Amino acid sequence: MRGRITKGTGGFYYVNDENGRSYECKACGRFRNENIKPVCGDLVDFTARQGEYGFIENILPRMNVLSRPAVANIDILLIVVSAQKPHIDFMLVDKLLLQAQREGIRPVLCVNKTEAGLKAAREIERQYAAYDVLLVSAHEKTGLAALKELLFGKFVCFTGQSAVGKSSLINVIGAEKELEVGGMSKKTARGRHTTRTTELLYLPEYKAYVFDTPGFSMFDTKGVAREGLAGYYKEFAPYAGLCRFAGCAHNKEPDCAVKRAVEEGKIDEKRYQRYLKLLESFEGKENG
Ligand SMILES: Nc1nc2c(ncn2[C@@H]2O[C@H](COP(=O)(O)OP(=O)(O)OP(=O)(O)O)[C@@H](O)[C@H]2O)c(=O)[nH]1
Ligand SMILES: [Zn+2]
C-alpha cells in the first residue's frame, strides 16, 4: 500500500493510507543498515498486517525536506503572521520565504488577526506584493474560503512566530469534522497547552495534511551563494537581467537595474534594505 507518515515515535511510525486510515508500522531493517531514517511527511510503500504492526518497505524520493523538526514533501509553506500582537518580524518572514524557495516549496503568507490592525495588514501586503498573501481572522472566521481552497489535497505546513494564531487557524478550518487517529475518534481541536508533537494532522474534509511549527532549524546561509541570494527575491526578477554586470549583487555596482527600480519605487525600499543586510551577513563567509 501507499501512504504518508504522519508521526514517528519510539521506533514506530504511523502511516495514513489514501483514505486517511492510520496504520502502525516499523521501518524494515534495510533502512537501519543503509542509515536511512523515515521522517514525517514521507510517502512510503508499506504492508499492513492483521492485528499486528506493518512494515515500511520503501520511501519514495523526497520532493523536499526541512529539518528540526524533520518534515518532508511539503506542498505549501504557510507563513503565518499577525496584524496585531505579536508584531510581524519582517526579517524572519524574508528568511522563511528564502528557505521555502530554496527547497522548491511554494510559500504563501497568511496575515491573521485582521479583524483589527488593517493598516499593518496593508503594509504587509504591500511589501510582499510579489507573493501570495491571504488576510484572515481566526476569531471572526473571515478569509477562510481562500485558505480552504489552498489546502485542498495538499500538505500545508503552518509556520511562524509563537502566538500568531497557527493552532487557532487549524482549529477553525478543521474543527467541524472529527479526526480519525489510530482508530480512535479524536477532535482536531487540540488543547492549547498540550505539548507540541511532531505530527501531521489529516483533515478528511479537504483530503489535506497540516503541520504546525514555530519554525525549522535556524536559518543558515549554507547552500545559498552570495550571488544567488537575489534570485530568491521574486520582485527583483524583472530587473535582475538588466544590470550592467552579469552577477551583479545589486549593492554597490554601477548601473544596477534593481537599485534603479528601488529608487523609482517599483521595488519596496524596506525589502531591499533587508536584502542588503542579509547580503552583508554573507560577506567573508564560506557558502556553497
Ligand atoms: N485578535 C485575534 N486573536 C487571535 C486570532 N487568532 C488567534 N488569536 C489569539 O492569539 C493567541 C495565540 O493563538 P495560537 O493559535 O495559540 O497561536 P500559535 O501561533 O499556534 O502559537 P504557538 O502554539 O505558541 O506557536 C490566542 O490567545 C488566540 O486566541 C484572531 O484572529 N484575532
Ligand atoms: Zn544589479
Side-chain angles (χ1 to χ4, degrees):
M1 291 200 283
R2 176 93 13 122
R4 192 189 277 270
I5 297 179
T6 60
K7 186 180 172 182
T9 172
F12 284 98
Y13 296 92
Y14 294 84
V15 182
N16 271 19
D17 69 10
E18 57 187 17
N19 300 313
R21 216 184 126 193
S22 179
Y23 298 82
E24 193 175 39
C25 293
K26 284 207 159 198
C28 68
R30 177 168 68 80
F31 293 132
R32 198 169 323 124
N33 299 338
E34 292 171 14
N35 206 11
I36 298 167
K37 206 172 146 46
V39 301
C40 281
D42 266 339
L43 296 167
V44 299
D45 293 318
F46 70 105
T47 45
R49 294 188 299 173
Q50 193 67 260
E52 256 197 283
Y53 60 78
F55 277 105
I56 295 171
E57 310 278 358
N58 178 40
I59 302 172
L60 302 185
R62 291 171 184 150
M63 281 197 313
N64 52 64
V65 59
L66 294 176
S67 54
R68 273 183 289 142
V71 197
N73 300 315
I74 298 168
D75 291 307
I76 293 169
L77 188 72
L78 193 78
I79 303 169
V80 184
V81 297
S82 159
Q84 303 181 52
K85 278 186 181 162
H87 296 305
I88 181 172
D89 177 344
F90 283 103
M91 189 55 129
L92 176 69
V93 173
D94 290 358
K95 287 177 176 179
L96 285 168
L97 283 172
L98 177 50
Q99 203 170 18
Q101 294 172 99
R102 189 175 53 168
E103 283 295 325
I105 303 168
R106 178 185 167 198
V108 174
L109 243 82
C110 179
V111 188
N112 187 32
K113 310 195 187 185
T114 56
E115 76 278 357
L118 210 64
K119 203 169 148 240
R122 292 282 173 241
E123 173 63 14
I124 295 164
E125 263 191 322
R126 201 184 56 73
Q127 288 204 29
Y128 297 103
Y131 294 87
D132 295 318
V133 183
L134 306 177
L135 302 191
V136 302
S137 165
H139 277 186
E140 299 288 316
K141 296 193 167 73
T142 55
L144 299 180
L147 183 56
K148 290 174 179 178
E149 198 178 310
L150 195 77
L151 273 172
F152 202 87
K154 296 280 187 348
F155 171 23
V156 179
C157 181
F158 288 59
T159 192
Q161 280 165 281
S162 190
V164 291
K166 299 180 296 295
S167 310
S168 305
L169 282 170
I170 291 172
N171 286 339
V172 291
I173 53 177
E176 305 103 289
K177 277 270 170 81
E178 295 217 313
L179 187 69
E180 284 287 308
V181 178
M184 288 183 328
S185 202
K186 190 173 126 191
K187 273 250 180 240
T188 51
R190 295 165 299 159
R192 271 213 293 125
H193 301 291
T194 53
T195 44
R196 199 179 284 281
T197 54
T198 304
E199 183 174 4
L200 271 62
L201 294 178
Y202 181 63
L203 307 181
E205 202 178 339
Y206 314 103
K207 298 186 187 308
Y209 287 91
V210 295
F211 181 73
D212 172 357
T213 178
F216 294 91
S217 63
M218 260 305 282
F219 171 82
D220 65 58
T221 52
K222 214 170 125 254
V224 182
R226 188 178 179 277
E227 305 77 46
L229 182 63
Y232 296 109
Y233 287 70
K234 254 178 137 175
E235 64 269 50
F236 292 6
Y239 311 102
L242 306 174
C243 301
R244 187 202 298 185
F245 297 107
C248 178
H250 320 306
N251 185 11
K252 293 182 179 117
E253 297 86 346
D255 231 345
C256 168
V258 169
K259 255 192 302 184
R260 199 156 49 237
V262 174
E263 280 154 22
E264 290 168 359
K266 290 172 184 155
I267 290 174
D268 179 66
E269 168 80 30
K270 296 203 179 86
R271 266 274 281 178
Y272 175 69
Q273 290 303 333
R274 291 196 302 273
Y275 161 77
L276 289 182
K277 219 167 147 187
L278 213 52
L279 192 70
E280 204 176 285
S281 73
F282 281 23
E283 310 271 319
K285 257 194 203 164
E286 285 294 319
N287 291 296

